[in-house]
Amino acid sequence: MITRHLLKQASTWRHFLLNSKTSSPLLTKSLLFSSSSSSESQSPTTAFVDDKVTDQYPTSTSISIDRSDLYNQPEHSHEPTSDSELVKHLKGIIKFRGGPISVAEYMEEVLTNPKFGFYISRDVFGTEGDFITSPEVSQMFGEMVGVWAMCLWEQMGRPKQVNLVELGPGRGTLMADLLRGASKFKSFTESLHVHLVECSPMLQKLQHHNLKCVDEDDSGDGVEKRTISTLAGTLVSWHALLEQVPSGLPSIIIAHEFYDALPVHQFQRASRGWCEKMVDVSEDSMFRFVLSPQPTPATLYLMKRCKWAAPEEIEKLSHIEVCPKAMDLTHAIADRISCDGGGALIIDYGLNGVVSDSLQVKSLTIVFGASASIMSVGLHGLSMCL
């Protein structure tokens, strides 16, 4: 009797669901679920009704889920980024340090990084390069420098052995013109041992070619290979630093447009005094200037530089640049000459006074030093953050 009553009730519900147009879709689904779950032997008709009701009364109620606290991993893009390898390297240094780096360190990486440095990766001199220096304009420049070197050699008493050192020889054009012009003065050229201070392997090869060098192998064991310039029959050696040039002999040192390529530290006057300008990465992954919150090691060089200037000159400035490497290099040259004898000829272009702000940023271009040597470094613009 109970079974018959249940079957009759189920039949009534089916008839109601098939003919009623006012039933709730949510209620319909619940009733169908209850009906199907109440009996394990569901008939094919019931399954058909399930589908038919769902199609006739599509669900209009949507369930809202709050996903604000869930972590959504950013989509991975296979498109190449616009950052160059050098820019990625610089941002990696800043990230690894956990804070900004000095302008000097930024410049040093841009200019002489072993993989991506401006001077390391390509030939930047001459008409096909980024700028032209005096030796590239006329051979007379190198020949006149050679005349100066011979006069100094004469004043030193014509020593039998002399180190002729050039810092940053570029393509070797100046030294090639010097040796070619002096090749007729055998007593002078035979006393020379040319030392080129160059950190770029590519430029070393170019200098080797322009000086018309040949490598000689001695038969004796343990004897280093000698390189000789056929322009004047002089020995030629390469070094990465001036400190690597052997001492003990008189030195004739030449530096043409070398100092203006050395990295500089920048300071800006703030309410708390002179603060060093640093390079940082902003939240939108762009380079920007920030001020150091406390004194930096380069502040000692700033104090030295301010002592050399009149107080009224310093008071007028809001920015000051100092070049610790130029100061240290000058001391090293002076110490070498005072110990071994010789002289130095330093040719450069700049201001006769305190340099305020020679680092000019214009879109992707930055001007280093007081000269007009323009070097693209991929800055994407630097903004100032106080």
Side-chain angles (χ1 to χ4, degrees), residues 291-305:
L291 294 181
S292 60
Q294 56 190 7
T296 60
T299 306
L300 297 175
Y301 290 91
L302 174 65
M303 296 171 61
K304 291 181 180 179
R305 184 65 188 91

Side-chain angles (χ1 to χ4, degrees), residues 89-101 279-281 287:
H89 174 72
L90 289 167
K91 291 180 178 178
I93 293 177
I94 296 173
K95 182 179 180 180
F96 177 78
R97 297 277 180 84
I101 61 176
V279 179
D280 198 5
V281 178
F287 289 115

Side-chain angles (χ1 to χ4, degrees), residues 33 51-52 149 164 177 198 372 385:
F33 177 79
D51 295 336
K52 186 175 181 180
L164 178 59
D177 294 335
E198 178 59 66
C385 179

Side-chain angles (χ1 to χ4, degrees), residues 183-211:
S183 60
K184 295 182 179 180
F185 302 91
K186 296 297 183 182
S187 57
F188 171 65
T189 56
E190 289 175 357
S191 68
L192 298 180
H193 186 161
V194 176
H195 296 274
L196 302 178
V197 179
E198 178 59 66
C199 63
S200 170
M202 193 222 44
L203 288 178
Q204 287 183 7
K205 294 180 180 179
L206 192 57
Q207 294 154 13
H208 186 283
H209 175 266
N210 289 337
L211 292 178

Side-chain angles (χ1 to χ4, degrees), residues 106-113 117-120 261 263 368 375:
Y106 185 96
M107 288 180 61
E108 190 166 11
E109 287 293 329
V110 169
L111 295 177
T112 59
N113 180 273
F118 177 79
Y119 289 116
I120 304 298
F368 289 146
M375 306 167 187

Side-chain angles (χ1 to χ4, degrees), residues 328-339:
D328 295 340
L329 176 62
T330 303
H331 282 294
I333 293 174
D335 290 342
R336 180 180 289 262
I337 292 174
S338 63
C339 292

